[in-house]
Amino acid sequence: MNMKKIVLTVVAVMSMTMAFAAGENDNNNTTTNAYKFNVSTYALSRALNLNQDQVDMVEDVNRTFAAEMMNASVADSSEREAKVNEAIKKDLSYMRYILNNRQYREYVKFLNVTLNNRGLTK
């Protein structure tokens, strides 16, 4: 049973990272694509073992986070980092309220991997 959870978690991380990274090879949209966060709620719910109420709330939070990240992508370069940090901070605070301790730790890992892969953290 534990091995199954580990494999599902690895698959979810890989699929989320691949989904986030899709289309980033286009040089014209590289900057904008780094800020596109189309999270698979299904993959995330499987990886975090969410119940239906959590799935609905996480989907709303992810939609808000994606919109805030797109707003950051079109902001002036001087404001961009602050907007990204604010969006991440809000996302984590919302997720902290929705998820239990174990789920939250896993979510933070997924988010950190994704942000690192996109070059949005320093």
Side-chain angles (χ1 to χ4, degrees):
M1 189 66 169
N2 285 335
M3 186 61 135
K4 183 178 177 182
K5 286 183 180 181
I6 292 170
V7 170
L8 285 174
T9 302
V10 169
V11 169
V13 168
M14 296 289 289
S15 65
M16 287 175 47
T17 303
M18 294 299 288
F20 288 155
E24 287 189 358
N25 293 334
D26 184 9
N27 290 334
N28 295 335
N29 294 325
T30 301
T31 304
T32 304
N33 285 338
Y35 295 91
K36 286 185 181 176
F37 281 81
N38 298 323
V39 177
S40 169
T41 305
Y42 176 75
L44 189 59
S45 69
R46 295 278 305 205
L48 299 177
N49 195 26
L50 303 178
N51 64 39
Q52 188 57 46
D53 291 335
Q54 288 176 313
V55 170
D56 294 338
M57 290 186 284
V58 165
E59 190 170 24
D60 290 337
V61 170
N62 285 337
R63 217 175 293 121
T64 301
F65 182 62
E68 289 178 353
M69 291 300 284
M70 285 309 295
N71 287 339
S73 74
V74 296
D76 292 336
S77 58
S78 61
E79 299 174 358
R80 189 172 295 142
E81 187 175 346
K83 286 188 177 262
V84 167
N85 289 337
E86 183 180 334
I88 293 168
K89 191 174 180 179
K90 278 183 176 178
D91 181 63
L92 290 175
S93 69
Y94 294 150
M95 289 300 192
R96 185 73 191 117
Y97 179 75
I98 296 168
L99 305 174
N100 65 35
N101 288 334
R102 182 195 57 78
Q103 292 168 328
Y104 181 74
R105 282 193 309 272
E106 288 297 313
Y107 179 76
V108 170
K109 288 177 191 176
F110 296 152
L111 186 61
N112 282 333
V113 167
T114 302
L115 293 170
N116 286 334
N117 287 344
R118 290 172 174 247
L120 295 176
T121 58
K122 295 184 173 139

